[in-house]
Amino acid sequence: MGGKEGPTLIASVQRAFRLMEAVGAHEGGVPAKQLARETGLALATTYHLLRTMVHEGYVRKLDDSTYVLGEKLGALHGGSRDQVALSRVRPTLTELRDGLSAAAYLTFYEDGEIRVAEIVDGPKAPRVDLWVGFEDAGHATALGKCVLRELDGDARADYLSRHTLNDLTPRTITHRAELLRRLDATPHGSAVTDIEEYSLGTACVAVPIRQGDTLGALGVSLRANRTDRLEGAVSTLVAAAERVSCRLSLTI
């Protein structure tokens, strides 16, 4: 029985892929009977596979009973693009980590949230303990403040209206007016730091990066007793951010 199962499963997968390719060739939708003819599949098999793919989100059935590709394929393609883009910048983050002996971080502002896209650390450059998610700590991290500083007034106000300025350490800025004053006091494009605002014993510095219309930040973290190295790290960080922005903007 086991000897028959493998080939049978492989054939089913092949038929599903063939059917999905046929659906993709008709952007405006295609009926099941036409798909059966184009793929050479039995109509019953075509209906069975379509029902499964609709259930899983790979195919969508329209109101007129025709079929188009589903949203899940788009999400998979988008995830693949993101991974390709990140693979281009990891060497730069690795160079940054090794050159400064500091963990390197890449964040993006997406759908109104500040999210970590990549962290490159190591035994000699440990990452900060992310005990509070970056989504809820934009006000307390160099990476988050860097993004907030680059946003226009409306986008910044929207973010702050949805996030509480939680007191993470005795150094955390918890008053909105004070946070805005400090953000506006540093010119756009320059480096932003946090000294034990997110985590006691840790200091960070970050600079902005862009991927098309998407804003982000590149930063490093150090032990707080090494803050004397932050100023010297900025020029290295700015050069790395330029390379990251360039590589992220390449067509995939």
Side-chain angles (χ1 to χ4, degrees):
M1 184 174 178
K4 295 180 180 178
E5 187 175 88
T8 300
L9 290 174
I10 291 172
S12 294
V13 172
Q14 290 173 331
R15 287 194 292 267
F17 281 139
R18 194 158 75 244
L19 185 59
M20 202 177 302
E21 289 172 355
V23 173
H26 299 274
E27 293 185 5
V30 57
K33 289 183 179 180
Q34 183 175 341
L35 289 170
R37 289 194 302 269
E38 291 180 1
T39 58
L41 297 175
L43 185 58
T45 300
T46 300
Y47 274 120
H48 173 71
L49 290 172
L50 286 171
R51 281 195 298 270
T52 301
M53 289 191 287
V54 168
H55 177 73
E56 296 296 331
Y58 292 105
V59 169
R60 184 160 59 94
K61 186 176 182 180
L62 302 180
D63 291 339
D64 62 359
S65 295
T66 60
Y67 296 86
V68 295
L69 293 178
E71 291 78 6
K72 197 164 187 177
L73 277 179
L76 288 175
H77 181 57
S80 176
R81 285 199 311 252
D82 292 343
Q83 287 304 311
V84 171
L86 288 176
S87 71
R88 289 176 176 158
V89 302
R90 284 191 190 103
T92 300
L93 269 65
T94 300
E95 291 174 12
L96 190 61
R97 177 201 66 190
D98 295 343
L100 297 176
S101 296
Y105 307 79
L106 178 64
T107 62
F108 289 116
Y109 185 73
E110 299 174 323
D111 300 323
E113 300 296 343
I114 301 168
R115 298 191 173 101
V116 179
E118 188 70 4
I119 301 175
V120 176
D121 58 357
K124 295 182 179 179
R127 68 180 67 187
V128 64
D129 178 17
L130 302 180
W131 69 285
V132 175
F134 268 59
E135 295 91 342
D136 298 314
H139 65 296
T141 65
L143 291 151
K145 290 191 295 179
C146 185
V147 169
L148 291 174
R149 193 267 316 276
E150 299 296 311
L151 292 176
D152 62 38
D154 290 340
R156 187 192 293 175
D158 173 69
Y159 177 90
L160 293 176
S161 71
R162 294 181 287 103
H163 295 81
T164 302
L165 305 187
N166 293 310
D167 185 4
L168 305 183
T169 79
R171 293 177 176 268
T172 305
I173 302 169
T174 57
H175 297 288
R176 178 170 174 165
E178 176 63 12
L179 176 64
L180 292 174
R181 185 189 69 78
R182 295 198 190 188
L183 292 176
D184 291 335
T186 57
H188 284 256
S190 63
V192 177
T193 60
D194 90 71
I195 310 296
E196 299 187 292
E197 294 173 40
Y198 174 78
S199 176
L200 291 176
T202 301
C204 301
V205 59
V207 295
I209 60 101
R210 288 189 180 275
Q211 179 188 15
D213 295 330
T214 301
L215 173 66
L218 178 68
V220 294
S221 66
L222 301 162
R223 297 297 301 168
N225 59 9
R226 298 172 62 197
T227 53
D228 57 309
R229 301 190 59 186
L230 286 181
E231 186 174 347
V234 171
S235 59
T236 301
L237 195 56
V238 168
E242 291 176 354
R243 294 200 301 275
V244 167
S245 293
C246 180
R247 290 174 182 176
L248 287 173
S249 298
L250 292 174
T251 302
I252 297 173

